[in-house]
Amino acid sequence: MITTYHRPKTLDEALTLLTQPNRMPLGGGTLLSKPTTDSVEVVDLQAIGLDTVKKQGNNLELGATVTLQQLFNSESCDPALRSAIKLEAPLNIRNAATVAGTLVACDGRSTFAAMLLALDARLEIRSIAPFQLVEMETESRPPHTNEEILPIGEFLPLRAQRVKGKLITSITIPTNVKLAFEYVSRTPADKPIVCAALAQWNSGRTRLVLGGYGTNPLLAMDGTEAEGVEVAARNAFHEASDEWASAEYRIDVAATLAKRCIGA
């Protein structure tokens, strides 16, 4: 239950507000839309300028409050990434859900998170330590923000702790890669039972990520070449049974999808 609404005008103001307990950032409302009886104060991020998509050399920098649909519509969005975004949520949700909020709220069936994990995305996370707030008050000086660049593979497993009192400000993904995305679902509109996201660099580096199961997408392979992706796909889903499918089914499908990605 939202008890207090804050609308900061600057990043520093937002970070200062988030140092207090029971305050959460509000972008598209993806995370806050989940029912809860806990009292929470929200810090609206709309006015602090985190909603741009920038091409920086061989990278694409996404502001944390860029919506999924905004990224989908960007001319810099790869077709495979567009496919993953379209499956992530229907249009009305994509128009509101932010890229950062989607990662924080995701599970293993998130096609967007799977694709960003394949791309080895980097998250910029900023914060202000409590002792710095005391220095600001006593010395009347602007805050010094702490900046951390975190690979998405380190962020996802512990994301609740990673963002506590902090703020994701941007997500950076490479553009000089070959991307492929394949999936199997019960209907075209459903979240996948199994999906495969593959990124290949000019150096030969190949990352294969599988989704459709568990609390996070699974990094099945990060190698110097594409050889062995089918074996890696089979091994990653060895225990992937749930109400949607058996592990045996997922193992076979994952290997097939990985092979399709290599041939795409």
Side-chain angles (χ1 to χ4, degrees):
M1 178 176 65
I2 297 175
T3 58
T4 308
Y5 173 83
H6 303 274
R7 190 180 173 91
K9 295 181 180 180
T10 66
L11 177 59
D12 286 346
E13 187 181 350
L15 292 174
T16 301
L17 287 166
L18 289 170
T19 60
Q20 301 302 311
N22 298 320
R23 287 181 181 172
M24 295 181 64
L26 174 63
T30 307
L31 192 59
L32 290 170
S33 63
K34 297 181 179 180
T36 179
T37 58
D38 296 334
S39 296
V40 63
E41 298 181 26
V42 298
V43 179
D44 193 328
L45 306 178
Q46 291 185 65
I48 64 174
L50 299 180
D51 58 351
T52 59
V53 178
K54 297 178 184 177
K55 184 75 183 299
Q56 304 275 15
N58 290 326
N59 292 316
L60 194 64
E61 184 179 298
L62 313 174
T65 62
V66 167
T67 67
L68 293 178
Q69 191 61 28
Q70 186 181 347
L71 176 56
F72 182 92
N73 292 336
S74 170
E75 63 181 14
S76 299
C77 186
D78 187 275
L81 179 55
R82 280 200 182 99
S83 297
I85 292 172
K86 190 172 183 179
L87 275 174
E88 180 68 29
L91 178 60
N92 63 319
I93 295 179
R94 296 199 305 269
N95 279 327
T98 64
V99 291
T102 300
L103 292 182
V104 173
C106 79
D107 60 19
R109 302 188 75 193
S110 171
T111 51
F112 179 67
M115 185 59 81
L116 262 61
L117 183 56
L119 284 164
D120 199 14
R122 295 295 195 265
L123 282 69
E124 181 184 81
I125 302 175
R126 295 194 183 188
S127 63
I128 297 176
F131 75 86
Q132 292 174 325
L133 291 177
V134 176
E135 293 178 354
M136 288 164 50
E137 294 171 356
T138 57
E139 301 178 21
S140 300
R141 61 177 179 172
H144 171 74
T145 60
N146 301 314
E147 179 182 317
E148 180 181 13
I149 305 297
L150 199 64
I152 188 173
E154 294 181 21
F155 170 78
L156 287 176
L158 298 171
R159 55 190 179 275
Q161 293 94 323
R162 295 289 192 186
V163 297
K164 190 173 182 180
K166 301 178 181 180
L167 186 64
I168 300 171
T169 52
S170 68
I171 301 168
T172 301
I173 58 175
T175 57
N176 59 336
V177 295
K178 178 183 176 183
L179 288 179
F181 178 76
E182 298 285 344
Y183 72 97
V184 169
S185 61
R186 291 186 176 180
T187 73
D190 284 342
K191 284 285 187 77
I193 297 173
V194 182
C195 71
L198 185 91
Q200 290 180 286
W201 281 255
N202 293 333
S203 64
R205 183 190 182 191
T206 302
R207 282 173 67 94
L208 173 68
V209 171
L210 302 177
Y213 170 78
T215 57
N216 298 298
L218 299 172
L219 178 62
M221 176 179 174
D222 186 356
T224 57
E225 57 183 23
E227 185 177 351
V229 291
E230 291 180 59
V231 174
R234 288 182 177 276
N235 291 339
F237 269 166
H238 186 66
E239 297 181 354
S241 291
D242 60 15
E243 67 271 25
W244 299 100
S246 67
E248 290 76 14
Y249 173 80
R250 282 197 170 97
I251 286 170
D252 290 339
V253 171
T256 299
L257 297 183
K259 185 177 180 180
R260 287 182 190 171
C261 285
I262 288 296

